Amino acid sequence: MPNDLHILTPDGLPSLTDKPGVSYIMPVLNEAEHIAQAITTILSQDYDGEKEIVLALGPSTDDTNVIIAAMAAADPRIQTVDNPEAATPIGLNRAFAHTRHPVIIRVDAHSGLEPDYTRQAIDTLRTTHAANCGGLMRARGKTAFQKAVARAYMSPIGLGGPAYHSGDEAGEAESAYLGVYRREVFEALGGFDEDIRRGQDWELNLRIRSAGGRIWFNPDMEVTYWPRGSWSKIARQFWATGIWRAELIRRYGSKNSLRYFAPPLLVLGMTASVIEALLQLSGRTKTWPKFLRRFTSLVHVPSFTYVAGIIAAAGAAKDCGIRERFWFGLILPTMHLSWGAGFLRGLVTGAGSTKDGSR
């Protein structure tokens, strides 16, 4: 391992002071609804060390930048940098370039930190000697639709997978939600890959682990996440996410988890079922041999099973009304199929310049 990367290992990282300064970095685009609350949760952190917030401002078309300008004028800890490309990794790197503290905390404009988040993070970095740590993404909603999306985010049959969705026990992890980084990560690895517009967190964590660094999940570190507020925005968000995950598969192959192949397989299975149904309704299968008709009809079994599972999940959802239950049953397949279709598109064509059009 090169000497300059050894600094990211548990033995190589220098010790943190008792109250190290913290720099919060956040890319922002069209977040007028959430940005004031997101910044307020940062300023309200129960932590006595020095704090600064660096916001990378995209070309918002709402009042986001006006709100930020007013808050920055009232508090010198809030700083801004321009991010005209509106690209998340570019914005994060530009924000980092204007920081000065040894701990870097990535924050999202759709998120709100629990009051003890920073203190928990510093303690985690210190005790585990991790290069990056993260906590539990606690999705929440205000409307029936948004609550249904939040339920899908937290459900094992929704996003599932990573510990920061499901709430596993504390321990080493593949990646981290948002991330609380030692400054050495950016200095040794050069920050986020600016060619990866989604999934850049996973890719940076892969480089950390490849350098011998440790990623740690602490479920006591909680972040409130406010999902997109409309069906079309959810569909576009997951379409773009699927495309970029396929790009990461193309680049890094087996270093990705097999779970990422479930949604595209679902899309292929559902497509095959629809084609079979159309052939049956048109009468074309009547000329096929009987054994072949029975065999091809089996393609409906996985699709019917999936639909039945979605209906059962929506029916079993607790502590919610009819509208939220309805949206929950619709959002689950929207996430799965949008992500899976995007993945298949990205696997064939690559991500190119695909952006998340939901903001």
Side-chain angles (χ1 to χ4, degrees), residues 313-336:
K318 298 179 181 179
D319 303 320
C320 64
I322 295 177
R323 291 184 62 193
E324 183 179 335
R325 200 184 302 272
F326 166 79
W327 279 120
F328 181 58
L330 182 61
I331 286 299
L332 285 172
T334 298
M335 288 179 171
H336 297 156

Side-chain angles (χ1 to χ4, degrees), residues 285-304:
T285 59
K286 292 181 179 180
T287 61
W288 297 358
K290 190 173 183 180
F291 79 90
L292 182 59
R293 293 201 305 272
R294 289 180 174 176
F295 177 76
T296 57
S297 292
L298 293 175
V299 75
H300 296 307
V301 175
S303 297
F304 285 144

Side-chain angles (χ1 to χ4, degrees), residues 198-337:
R198 291 190 68 81
Q200 63 278 338
D201 306 78
W202 180 89
E203 189 276 337
L204 179 55
N205 283 307
L206 173 62
R207 281 187 282 144
I208 292 172
R209 289 186 285 111
S210 298
R214 178 178 291 162
I215 314 297
W216 196 268
F217 170 71
N218 178 2
D220 294 331
M221 295 168 54
E222 290 195 10
V223 181
T224 297
Y225 174 79
W226 301 97
R228 303 291 190 268
S230 71
W231 180 86
S232 61
K233 288 184 176 181
I234 292 295
R236 292 199 298 270
Q237 177 188 9
F238 277 80
W239 164 262
T241 302
I243 288 176
W244 277 104
R245 175 49 60 181
E247 178 67 27
L248 293 174
I249 295 285
R250 286 163 61 105
R251 296 189 187 197
Y252 302 104
S254 61
K255 294 179 180 179
N256 292 266
S257 172
L258 289 175
R259 71 174 182 272
Y260 295 125
F261 289 91
L265 289 176
L266 171 66
V267 171
L268 292 175
M270 296 289 281
T271 301
S273 183
V274 169
I275 293 173
E276 172 69 8
L278 292 175
L279 290 174
Q280 290 173 335
L281 291 172
S282 68
R284 295 188 179 184
T285 59
K286 292 181 179 180
T287 61
W288 297 358
K290 190 173 183 180
F291 79 90
L292 182 59
R293 293 201 305 272
R294 289 180 174 176
F295 177 76
T296 57
S297 292
L298 293 175
V299 75
H300 296 307
V301 175
S303 297
F304 285 144
T305 302
Y306 174 75
V307 172
I310 294 297
I311 293 173
K318 298 179 181 179
D319 303 320
C320 64
I322 295 177
R323 291 184 62 193
E324 183 179 335
R325 200 184 302 272
F326 166 79
W327 279 120
F328 181 58
L330 182 61
I331 286 299
L332 285 172
T334 298
M335 288 179 171
H336 297 156
L337 296 176

Side-chain angles (χ1 to χ4, degrees), residues 10 25 43 68 79 123 151 154 168 172 181 217 265 269 327 339 350:
I25 59 176
L43 297 175
I68 291 173
Q79 306 168 45
D123 290 343
R151 185 181 294 271
M154 302 298 292
D168 291 346
E172 290 195 50
Y181 300 87
F217 170 71
L265 289 176
W327 279 120
W339 199 101

Side-chain angles (χ1 to χ4, degrees), residues 10-335:
D11 293 333
L13 282 168
S15 299
L16 288 171
T17 60
D18 183 46
K19 296 289 183 181
V22 176
S23 299
Y24 302 85
I25 59 176
M26 182 196 303
V28 183
L29 178 68
N30 290 330
E31 296 290 358
E33 181 181 356
H34 300 287
I35 188 61
Q37 183 179 14
I39 294 174
T40 299
T41 66
I42 297 173
L43 297 175
S44 302
Q45 287 293 285
D46 179 19
Y47 181 69
D48 295 332
E50 287 189 70
K51 307 183 197 73
E52 64 177 356
I53 307 171
V54 185
L55 306 168
L57 305 185
S60 294
T61 55
D62 60 12
D63 291 334
T64 297
N65 294 354
V66 175
I67 295 170
I68 291 173
M71 297 185 77
D75 195 320
R77 292 174 296 179
I78 303 173
Q79 306 168 45
T80 62
V81 295
D82 289 331
N83 181 28
E85 298 89 348
T88 297
I90 294 176
L92 288 169
N93 287 341
R94 285 178 178 165
F96 167 76
H98 284 75
T99 64
R100 56 192 176 88
H101 293 311
V103 176
I104 309 297
I105 299 184
R106 179 185 171 176
V107 189
D108 188 86
H110 267 252
S111 65
L113 307 182
E114 289 300 304
D116 65 346
Y117 183 85
T118 301
R119 179 165 46 81
Q120 289 268 10
I122 299 297
D123 290 343
T124 300
L125 291 178
R126 181 180 290 111
T127 58
T128 65
H129 304 284
N132 180 25
C133 69
L136 183 64
M137 185 194 79
R138 185 74 69 183
R140 293 175 181 166
K142 298 176 181 177
T143 65
F145 174 84
Q146 203 175 41
K147 289 177 181 177
V149 177
R151 185 181 294 271
Y153 265 81
M154 302 298 292
S155 170
I157 64 171
L159 291 186
Y164 52 78
H165 292 309
S166 56
D168 291 346
E169 295 181 357
E172 290 195 50
E174 174 188 8
S175 189
Y177 176 56
L178 298 179
V180 179
Y181 300 87
R182 295 292 302 266
R183 188 177 191 87
E184 290 81 1
V185 168
F186 289 83
E187 294 174 342
L189 299 179
F192 294 95
D193 186 331
E194 297 185 356
D195 291 330
I196 300 177
R197 299 305 171 92
R198 291 190 68 81
Q200 63 278 338
D201 306 78
W202 180 89
E203 189 276 337
L204 179 55
N205 283 307
L206 173 62
R207 281 187 282 144
I208 292 172
R209 289 186 285 111
S210 298
R214 178 178 291 162
I215 314 297
W216 196 268
F217 170 71
N218 178 2
D220 294 331
M221 295 168 54
E222 290 195 10
V223 181
T224 297
Y225 174 79
W226 301 97
R228 303 291 190 268
S230 71
W231 180 86
S232 61
K233 288 184 176 181
I234 292 295
R236 292 199 298 270
Q237 177 188 9
F238 277 80
W239 164 262
T241 302
I243 288 176
W244 277 104
R245 175 49 60 181
E247 178 67 27
L248 293 174
I249 295 285
R250 286 163 61 105
R251 296 189 187 197
Y252 302 104
S254 61
K255 294 179 180 179
N256 292 266
S257 172
L258 289 175
R259 71 174 182 272
Y260 295 125
F261 289 91
L265 289 176
L266 171 66
V267 171
L268 292 175
M270 296 289 281
T271 301
S273 183
V274 169
I275 293 173
E276 172 69 8
L278 292 175
L279 290 174
Q280 290 173 335
L281 291 172
S282 68
R284 295 188 179 184
T285 59
K286 292 181 179 180
T287 61
W288 297 358
K290 190 173 183 180
F291 79 90
L292 182 59
R293 293 201 305 272
R294 289 180 174 176
F295 177 76
T296 57
S297 292
L298 293 175
V299 75
H300 296 307
V301 175
S303 297
F304 285 144
T305 302
Y306 174 75
V307 172
I310 294 297
I311 293 173
K318 298 179 181 179
D319 303 320
C320 64
I322 295 177
R323 291 184 62 193
E324 183 179 335
R325 200 184 302 272
F326 166 79
W327 279 120
F328 181 58
L330 182 61
I331 286 299
L332 285 172
T334 298
M335 288 179 171

